């Protein structure tokens, strides 16, 4: 059954969601250096697994019986929001680390104004600020794109649900047409049978009339003409 597959995938997603949230909220802030990088890679891999589970759940919703589809779709929307929130937390955490590194770099004591490194440090600082602004704009653009994609996905699911409803309506109409055609076929057979019976009765009646006429002619001939 489709609902059983959905519940199994749902349990896997909930377990994975809890594990990812625990790592992002608990382990990631306390780690640093190479350990943090390894943990970040593990979290990203689990986020990808969670995304695949969401896609599998979407397939199960599409093929589920219509009476259960609405409830399953509502639960799926909640899981999408949870996954989107985890991705945003992960991105924010990485952005905070990058910002902290940039601040540490920019906060390095500057060289005296007459130092030959003064202009170089100033130029590097300007470029880093520009890069920081570009990263922020890119992050905002990605977030907007994810939001638009989620909204588009919801619209697509709504359209699929509507098409499924129309398909079921067409199937019921087709079944009614098949039943009507079968009834018409039976009616035609009955009418043909009735027509044959009527024609048979007419022939019998004609034969009887002819016999009566013949008998009458015979009686008249026998009683009047023969004498």
């Amino acid at each position: 059954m489709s609902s059983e597959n959905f519940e199994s995938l749902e349990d896997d997603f909930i377990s994975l969601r809890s594990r990812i949230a625990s790592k992002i909220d608990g382990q990631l802030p306390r780690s640093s250096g190479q350990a943090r990088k390894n943990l970040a890679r593990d979290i990203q891999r689990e986020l990808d697994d969670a995304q695949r589970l969401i896609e599998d759940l979407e397939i199960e919703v599409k093929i589920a019986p219509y009476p259960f589809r609405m409830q399953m779709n509502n639960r799926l929307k909640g899981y999408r929001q949870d996954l989107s929130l985890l991705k945003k937390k992960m991105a924010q955490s990485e952005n905070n680390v990058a910002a902290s590194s940039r601040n540490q770099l920019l906060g390095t004591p500057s060289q005296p104004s007459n130092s030959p490194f003064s202009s170089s440090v100033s130029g590097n600082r300007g470029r880093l600020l520009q890069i920081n602004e570009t990263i922020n704009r890119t992050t905002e653009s990605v977030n907007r794109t994810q939001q638009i994609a989620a909204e588009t996905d919801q619209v697509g699911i709504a359209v699929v649900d509507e098409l499924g409803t129309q398909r079921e309506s067409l199937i019921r109409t087709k079944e009614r047409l098949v039943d009507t055609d079968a009834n018409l076929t039976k009616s035609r057979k009955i009418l043909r049978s009735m027509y044959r019976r009527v024609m048979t009765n007419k022939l019998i009646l004609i034969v009887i009339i002819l016999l009566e006429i013949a008998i009458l002619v015979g009686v008249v001939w026998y009683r009047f003409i023969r004498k």
Side-chain angles (χ1 to χ4, degrees):
M1 295 293 292
S2 177
S3 58
E4 294 178 356
N5 294 335
F6 183 88
E7 291 175 357
S8 177
L9 292 170
E10 186 180 33
D11 292 338
D12 293 340
F13 177 82
I14 292 173
S15 176
L16 185 59
R17 179 189 61 185
S18 300
R19 190 161 62 249
I20 294 172
S22 176
K23 289 181 180 180
I24 292 177
D25 297 333
Q27 300 178 27
L28 195 60
R30 295 195 298 267
S31 60
S32 60
Q34 187 61 40
R36 180 185 176 86
K37 292 180 181 179
N38 294 336
L39 182 59
R41 282 196 295 269
D42 291 340
I43 294 174
Q44 187 58 51
R45 185 167 55 253
E46 290 179 343
L47 287 172
D48 294 338
D49 293 339
Q51 182 63 45
R52 283 190 290 272
L53 286 174
I54 288 292
E55 294 172 357
D56 292 339
L57 287 170
E58 291 173 352
I59 295 174
E60 293 299 325
V61 169
K62 292 178 182 178
I63 63 177
Y66 182 75
F68 305 100
R69 194 179 302 164
M70 186 62 66
Q71 181 181 2
M72 294 165 67
N73 191 33
N74 291 334
R75 286 151 64 182
L76 179 59
K77 289 179 181 178
Y79 298 147
R80 284 200 205 95
Q81 294 174 355
D82 293 343
L83 181 58
S84 177
L85 180 60
L86 290 173
K87 289 181 178 180
K88 289 180 180 178
K89 283 185 177 182
M90 185 61 185
Q92 185 63 38
S93 177
E94 293 301 306
N95 289 338
N96 290 340
V97 172
S100 176
S101 299
R102 288 194 298 271
N103 291 335
Q104 291 177 1
L105 180 60
L106 294 175
T108 303
S110 59
Q111 298 291 335
S113 58
N114 58 352
S115 171
F117 300 100
S118 177
S119 59
S120 177
V121 171
S122 178
N124 290 335
R125 182 175 300 176
R127 285 193 294 272
L128 287 173
L129 290 174
Q130 291 177 356
I131 293 172
N132 187 27
E133 292 177 358
T134 302
I135 292 174
N136 290 335
R137 287 195 299 269
T138 303
T139 302
E140 293 176 358
S141 177
V142 170
N143 291 335
R144 287 195 299 269
T145 302
Q146 290 178 345
Q147 183 177 0
I148 293 172
E151 293 175 355
T152 303
D153 187 54
Q154 292 177 0
V155 172
I157 291 177
V159 171
V160 170
D161 291 341
E162 181 64 24
L163 290 176
T165 302
Q166 294 180 2
R167 179 178 178 273
E168 293 175 358
S169 177
L170 290 173
I171 290 174
R172 288 194 297 269
T173 302
K174 180 181 178 182
E175 291 175 350
R176 287 196 294 269
L177 289 174
V178 171
D179 294 337
T180 302
D181 184 66
N183 292 332
L184 289 174
T185 301
K186 292 179 181 178
S187 299
R188 284 194 294 268
K189 291 180 179 179
I190 293 172
L191 288 174
R192 285 196 296 268
S193 176
M194 292 175 64
Y195 177 77
R196 285 194 297 269
R197 290 180 182 178
V198 169
M199 294 303 298
T200 302
N201 292 335
K202 285 183 178 181
L203 291 174
I204 293 173
L205 182 60
I206 290 171
V207 171
I208 292 173
I209 292 173
L210 292 175
L211 287 175
E212 289 179 351
I213 292 173
I215 292 171
L216 181 60
V217 170
V219 170
V220 171
W221 178 81
Y222 180 78
R223 296 190 62 179
F224 298 102
I225 298 175
R226 184 178 179 183
K227 292 180 179 182

